[in-house]
């Protein structure tokens, strides 16, 4: 099965823990669970119909990939990246993704371009339909699948992991209307890839990340307890149907 950003990944399986982990990851990166949201074990256990011990295992996994924080007495919360950490994350992505673009251009073939064109088209449609979750998912898929063209599986998986955390940054510090990246940037990046203009492609990718950073507003985000029954109803139903 593929992950939320389109990679063939081990995020998902038929295991109950993996199913719950996937549900939480998807809800976090698609901004249904916002930074600072509390994740009470009892409430999650009730929604998914599992023990608190099972929920605790999943929360520990989420903490290991830095999507949530676990604090004694306060419990679990969706992580809120600091301003410095947010800047460092996008600086790291810019460094990695730009450095690999020469390999992307060298390995790019017509089927790659067609697949990327489909992502950009679907992303624009998601924005037009005000489908924030799809726009975020497709924005990440653009970056991940672009790097995948190079054939460097290690770097591609790393970029995939960083896009998860990038979504938290945008949720915490982005403008209310901000959903993923700017579509026209991806369209222009794709046009430069088609021309095989590595220098221009690299320069535009630098500008792309600079634009994301400049759009962030580093202000406090309030804590809240989400409506788990609404968010996870489809996942809980799917989980129960397998029993």
């Amino acid at each position: 099965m593929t992950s939320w950003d389109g990679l063939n990944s081990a995020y998902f399986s038929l295991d109950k823990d993996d199913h719950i982990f996937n549900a939480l990851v998807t809800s976090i990166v698609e901004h249904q669970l916002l930074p600072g949201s509390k994740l009470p074990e009892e409430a999650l256990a009730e929604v998914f119909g599992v023990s608190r011990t099972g929920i605790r295992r999943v929360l520990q996994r989420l903490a290991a990939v830095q999507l949530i924080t676990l604090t004694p007495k306060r419990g679990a919360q969706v992580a809120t990246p600091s301003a410095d950490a947010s800047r460092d994350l996008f600086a790291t992505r810019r460094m990695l993704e730009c450095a690999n673009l020469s390999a992307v251009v060298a390995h790019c073939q017509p089927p790659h371009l067609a697949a990327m064109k489909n992502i950009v088209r679907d992303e624009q449609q998601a924005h037009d339909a005000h489908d924030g979750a799809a726009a975020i998912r497709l924005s990440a898929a653009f970056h991940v699948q672009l790097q995948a063209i190079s054939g460097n599986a290690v770097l591609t998986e790393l970029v995939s992991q960083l896009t998860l955390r990038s979504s938290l940054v945008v949720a915490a510090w982005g403008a209310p209307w901000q959903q993923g990246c700017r579509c026209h940037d991806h369209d222009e990046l794709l046009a430069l890839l088609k021309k095989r203009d590595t220098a221009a492609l690299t320069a535009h990718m630098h500008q792309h990340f600079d634009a994301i950073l400049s759009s962030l507003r580093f202000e406090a985000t309030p804590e809240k307890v989400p409506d788990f029954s609404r968010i996870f109803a489809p996942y809980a139903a799917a989980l129960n149907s397998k029993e």
Side-chain angles (χ1 to χ4, degrees):
M1 190 176 292
T2 57
S3 68
W4 73 285
D5 53 15
L7 280 184
N8 291 321
S9 173
Y11 293 150
F12 305 98
S13 78
L14 297 179
D15 180 84
K16 270 191 175 182
D17 284 4
D18 288 340
H19 183 90
I20 298 169
F21 177 79
N22 167 44
L24 286 165
V25 167
T26 301
S27 298
I28 290 170
V29 299
E30 293 184 356
H31 297 182
Q32 296 180 67
L33 291 174
L34 295 175
S37 296
K38 296 180 180 180
L39 302 172
E41 291 179 6
E42 185 175 358
L44 290 172
E46 181 178 353
V47 167
F48 288 107
V50 298
S51 67
R52 292 182 65 175
T53 300
I55 292 297
R56 197 171 298 126
R57 286 196 301 267
V58 172
L59 293 177
Q60 289 169 347
R61 289 173 60 184
L62 289 166
V65 294
Q66 301 183 53
L67 290 182
I68 72 168
T69 58
L70 292 173
T71 308
K73 297 183 179 180
R74 296 190 65 186
Q77 290 179 290
V78 178
T80 302
S82 69
D84 287 342
S86 299
R87 294 187 183 97
D88 288 346
L89 190 149
F90 277 105
T92 300
R93 282 191 60 187
R94 179 174 56 198
M95 178 176 62
L96 288 174
E97 295 184 41
C98 289
N100 196 45
L101 288 177
S102 59
V104 170
V105 172
H107 289 83
C108 188
Q109 299 297 324
H112 295 132
L113 293 171
M116 297 301 296
K117 183 177 180 180
N118 287 338
I119 292 174
V120 172
R121 179 203 62 209
D122 292 346
E123 184 185 7
Q124 182 60 62
Q125 290 176 351
H127 277 281
D128 292 343
H130 303 290
D131 186 345
I136 293 166
R137 182 172 61 253
L138 290 161
S139 175
F142 177 90
H143 284 268
V144 174
Q145 297 302 329
L146 179 66
Q147 297 302 319
I149 294 172
S150 71
N152 187 329
V154 174
L155 186 142
T156 302
E157 180 62 28
L158 180 56
V159 169
S160 178
Q161 294 170 8
L162 291 175
T163 61
L164 297 178
R165 294 169 60 189
S166 297
S167 177
L168 274 180
V169 171
V170 173
W173 309 117
W177 46 262
Q178 192 171 351
Q179 306 287 356
C181 300
R182 301 183 304 183
C183 280
H184 69 272
D185 275 4
H186 288 172
D187 196 47
E188 291 169 8
L189 287 165
L190 181 57
L192 292 171
L193 176 63
K194 187 175 181 179
K195 292 179 181 178
R196 297 186 176 275
D197 189 338
T198 303
L201 178 62
T202 302
H204 196 75
M205 185 68 84
H206 269 280
Q207 294 171 8
H208 180 54
F209 281 115
D210 287 345
I212 295 172
L213 273 174
S214 67
S215 72
L216 300 179
R217 306 181 306 174
F218 294 110
E219 301 167 357
T221 301
E223 298 179 0
K224 58 182 70 177
V225 177
D227 182 351
F228 297 123
S229 296
R230 177 186 60 80
I231 294 173
F232 295 121
Y235 299 97
L239 188 61
N240 292 332
S241 69
K242 296 174 183 177
E243 295 180 346

